Amino acid sequence: MSILYNHNKINATLLCVCVCVCEACCAYVLMVTAVYWVSEAVPLGAAALVPAFLYPLFGVLKSSEVAAEYCKDTTLLLMGVICLAASIEKWNLHKRIALRMVMIAGAKPGMLVLGFMCCTVFLSMWLSNTSTTAMVMPIAEAVLQQLICTGLADSHDDSETAEAPEEDSGTSVTTGGKSLNTFCKSNDIKPALTLACEARNLGSMTTLKRSSPHSVIDSQYPTKRDHMICKCLSLSITYAATIGGLITITGTSTNLIFAEQFNNRYPDAKVINFGTWFIFSFPIAIIMLVLTWLWLHFLFLGCNFRETCSLSKKRKTRREMLSERRIHEEYAKLGPISYPEVVTGVFFVLMTLLWFTREPGFVPGWTSLFEKKGYRTDATVSVLLGFLLFLIPARRPFSSSSCCKNSGEEHSDPLAPMITWKDFQRLMPWEIVILVGGGYALAAGCKVSGLSVWIGRQLEPMSGLPPWAVTLLACLLVSAVTEFASNPATLTVFLPILSALSETLLINPLHTLIPSTMCVSFGVMLPVGNPPNAIVFSYGHVQIRDMVKAGFGVNLIGVAVVMLAITTWGVPLFNLTEFPVWAVARNGTGSL
């Protein structure tokens, strides 16, 4: 009997040792990947491949199991959205929307900033933050250069008309290494993915500057007020792109990472979809938009809202009227709305409606028309409509006139599609796809090894804190880390830890995961915080101290608004007062 007892004890000891070794191996892989992500010693996509070879070598997961994690439902969702984004950019629909909204807002500095912020938020809901910034910033730069070159205005009395020549005498004002004449004649926008890669891979701050723009900063602007307007408008675009990316589940890669990891971890939780996310995040975006605009206005334009935001034509200066004329000229260059723009707009509205009505929650969605449930997701809609863009001709049926002038191309083939594979490839962020897949692989390894259970046990001393305090600490932590590390990498590292923490403290996981997902986007204090920051910084209007000062306020605004949302309308929307059944079942399994 004693021999049998000792034999069982030895087996149990060996099992514990094996489990500990597996947990240690998984933790090692997690730390190595995190170090590569934070330091960016190698490209983010390459670092995301570390689990693909270390997990099989350490015996944590089979190679086939790891490979399956690199392509999920969200990958198809992203591909469909990129198809629509490619069509929007190819046919200049984004430019038409942006210019129209700015025309409505007017050229008063305060209203001009608000107009650009509104159109940037709207575009960023559907396009990536980087693409949106790369598309809108050249339009804003043309307007800013018009403000600079139409005369010297009194910085203390903007109502006086500055003396300026009636027509451009050919004076060249350099901005970002380009002359004004060259810039204004160029309507081409660099591919957003190229801009993103350049912005993220620039090794130092000095390389982000073109020809030392700040060394001659005083000679570029007629008055200090002009410089303040340039700073305010430039920073407003990157902040608005971040705010807009929060609204939809496809607005930014971090939202997709959260949705996929949450659904993988809690497959029985049918609470996160396009509709519920939009209902929760849209009020956040509206409040943040208003508060951010007020903060930037106070910081750079002062508190005279009556002067900077008046819509009265009597209060417009000559420079503002010339700026408005410049915007109208840019809009006129687009010509009448074309057939491809109409098709793209219809697809845009159709995709949104199908996402909203798939499973709205309060009424049966269109998926209830099918016999088999659970087969159709948001990815089904986006891939279907994206595929149709490769089939539908860009020329109107039975029309002999060309409809392709807005794209800058003349198609001799009457059956040329709305988008080509080359258009899709130019915008498809494959690095993000691999990065997201690496996050899923890490999560799967933690699930098998039991590392999350160990992490949860170490966090048990926090059980005395109320849920709002735990959420606030998590938000502050991720928003601080993401200033120096990429947003997707930061979220990928923190999601498993916060999930384990919520289960250990018996807090609804959504109470910590959703705010942390949103706050990870608030890396807005440094040019290296995210690609939109780097793009805006490269134009030379702002300095690092400007970004730090303005970004700190935006960061505080974001955390405060997210905390307000999760403790008010988020409670009934996600039933946050109870530890849900789907989390209880997950907690009982003791795995990630």
Side-chain angles (χ1 to χ4, degrees):
M1 183 66 69
S2 61
I3 296 175
L4 182 61
Y5 173 77
N6 291 333
H7 179 72
N8 291 337
K9 187 175 181 179
I10 292 173
N11 288 339
T13 303
L14 291 175
L15 180 60
C16 291
V17 171
C18 291
V19 170
C20 291
V21 170
C22 191
E23 290 177 357
C25 291
C26 184
Y28 173 76
V29 176
L30 182 63
M31 287 188 293
V32 169
T33 308
V35 168
Y36 277 126
W37 276 339
V38 172
S39 65
E40 298 191 38
V42 296
L44 295 176
L49 295 175
V50 170
F53 59 86
L54 283 188
Y55 275 164
L57 290 177
F58 289 156
V60 178
L61 285 174
K62 295 180 180 178
S63 183
S64 57
E65 294 173 339
V66 179
E69 300 296 329
Y70 280 84
C71 186
K72 294 287 188 178
D73 184 69
T74 50
T75 304
L76 298 178
L77 176 64
L78 180 62
M79 292 175 69
V81 172
I82 292 299
C83 289
L84 181 61
S87 183
I88 290 174
E89 180 175 336
K90 180 177 181 178
W91 304 110
N92 280 332
L93 183 59
H94 66 288
K95 192 172 183 179
R96 186 178 296 276
I97 293 172
L99 289 173
R100 171 57 68 179
M101 296 183 73
V102 173
M103 287 166 61
I104 294 173
K108 281 289 183 180
M111 297 307 297
L112 185 67
V113 171
L114 183 60
F116 267 103
M117 289 184 73
C118 289
C119 71
T120 304
V121 166
F122 178 76
L123 292 174
S124 187
M125 290 169 59
W126 318 104
L127 311 178
S128 73
N129 299 352
T130 305
S131 299
T132 302
T133 306
M135 293 171 185
V136 175
M137 196 60 200
I139 302 173
E141 182 69 9
V143 175
L144 290 176
Q145 292 305 323
Q146 186 64 40
L147 283 172
I148 292 173
C149 295
T150 50
L152 291 170
D154 185 0
S155 61
H156 299 290
D157 188 2
D158 193 46
S159 62
E160 296 180 8
T161 303
E163 294 297 331
E166 288 297 326
E167 57 185 19
D168 188 16
S169 60
T171 303
S172 178
V173 178
T174 57
T175 299
K178 297 182 179 179
S179 68
L180 173 63
N181 294 337
T182 303
F183 178 84
C184 292
K185 290 178 182 178
S186 174
N187 292 321
D188 295 330
I189 297 175
K190 201 170 186 180
L193 184 57
T194 304
L195 279 170
C197 294
E198 291 178 356
R200 288 299 290 173
N201 292 329
L202 294 174
S204 63
M205 295 300 172
T206 56
T207 57
L208 281 169
K209 304 176 183 180
R210 303 181 199 166
S211 304
S212 300
H214 304 305
S215 61
V216 291
I217 203 164
D218 293 332
S219 63
Q220 289 187 6
Y221 307 97
T223 66
K224 181 180 179 181
R225 180 175 177 78
D226 291 320
H227 190 194
M228 292 297 104
I229 293 173
C230 292
K231 286 182 179 182
C232 187
L233 184 55
S234 298
L235 290 175
S236 70
I237 291 174
T238 182
Y239 298 154
T242 297
I243 294 171
L246 301 176
I247 299 178
T248 60
I249 203 72
T250 59
T252 183
S253 59
T254 52
N255 295 355
L256 291 172
I257 292 173
F258 159 74
E260 186 63 31
Q261 289 208 16
F262 179 83
N263 291 329
N264 280 349
R265 183 183 179 93
Y266 307 106
D268 297 330
K270 307 297 182 181
V271 291
I272 297 297
N273 54 49
F274 187 88
T276 56
W277 184 273
F278 184 88
I279 293 171
F280 176 75
S281 59
F282 185 72
I284 295 177
I286 296 300
I287 297 173
M288 281 195 65
L289 175 64
V290 174
L291 294 180
T292 301
W293 175 68
L294 292 174
W295 166 244
L296 291 176
H297 195 291
F298 166 77
L299 201 61
F300 297 106
L301 304 180
C303 298
N304 191 358
F305 289 92
R306 183 181 179 184
E307 185 66 34
T308 61
C309 302
S310 174
L311 297 178
S312 174
K313 292 184 178 180
K314 296 180 180 180
R315 291 181 174 271
K316 291 181 181 178
T317 65
R318 178 173 176 271
R319 301 173 69 227
E320 291 167 351
M321 289 189 289
L322 288 173
S323 297
E324 285 190 355
R325 188 173 69 184
R326 172 72 183 186
I327 295 171
H328 281 78
E329 289 173 355
E330 289 292 324
Y331 188 83
K333 291 179 182 178
L334 296 177
I337 188 167
S338 63
Y339 172 74
E341 288 179 88
V342 173
V343 174
T344 302
V346 170
F347 271 58
F348 174 81
V349 174
L350 184 60
M351 183 178 290
T352 305
L353 290 177
L354 289 175
W355 277 343
F356 266 113
T357 57
R358 182 176 66 86
E359 289 180 356
F362 52 91
V363 292
W366 56 263
T367 54
S368 61
L369 300 176
F370 296 89
E371 182 178 354
K372 292 184 177 181
K373 309 299 180 184
Y375 280 73
R376 289 146 289 274
T377 66
D378 291 338
T380 310
V381 173
S382 65
V383 172
L384 171 62
L385 296 182
F387 175 75
L388 291 178
L389 288 173
F390 289 99
L391 291 179
I392 298 178
R395 183 174 296 181
R396 182 180 302 165
F398 311 109
S399 174
S400 58
S401 60
S402 175
C403 299
C404 304
K405 57 184 179 181
N406 283 355
S407 69
E409 301 175 2
E410 290 292 337
H411 293 291
S412 58
D413 184 6
L415 297 180
M418 290 286 296
I419 60 173
T420 63
W421 188 255
K422 184 178 180 180
D423 299 325
F424 169 79
Q425 279 281 79
R426 185 167 53 88
L427 289 184
M428 184 62 192
W430 293 111
E431 183 182 41
I432 295 298
V433 172
I434 298 175
L435 177 63
V436 173
Y440 301 152
L442 288 175
C446 294
K447 175 181 178 179
V448 172
S449 66
L451 178 62
S452 62
V453 178
W454 180 87
I455 294 175
R457 288 170 183 165
Q458 310 310 308
L459 299 174
E460 286 180 356
M462 297 180 63
S463 59
L465 295 176
W468 68 265
V470 175
T471 302
L472 179 60
L473 289 175
C475 290
L476 294 175
L477 180 60
V478 297
S479 61
V481 173
T482 195
E483 294 291 349
F484 308 97
S486 73
N487 299 351
T490 302
L491 188 66
T492 302
V493 171
F494 275 95
L495 277 180
I497 298 174
L498 295 176
S499 298
L501 173 63
S502 300
E503 294 170 6
T504 301
L505 304 183
L506 298 181
I507 300 174
N508 190 318
L510 292 174
H511 203 295
T512 56
L513 297 183
I514 292 181
S516 300
T517 300
M518 291 192 162
C519 289
V520 82
S521 296
F522 299 153
V524 294
M525 292 174 60
L526 295 172
V528 296
N530 56 49
N533 287 5
I535 293 173
V536 168
F537 184 79
S538 68
Y539 276 81
H541 295 302
V542 297
Q543 297 174 287
I544 292 180
R545 64 171 178 265
D546 299 319
M547 299 193 76
V548 172
K549 182 167 57 175
F552 181 73
V554 174
N555 216 324
L556 293 181
I557 290 172
V559 173
V561 174
V562 169
M563 287 301 301
L564 173 67
I566 203 66
T567 54
T568 52
W569 65 85
V571 174
L573 182 62
F574 298 115
N575 194 20
L576 299 179
T577 56
E578 300 178 358
F579 190 64
V581 176
W582 44 264
V584 172
R586 196 69 191 87
N587 195 28
T589 63
S591 59
L592 186 66

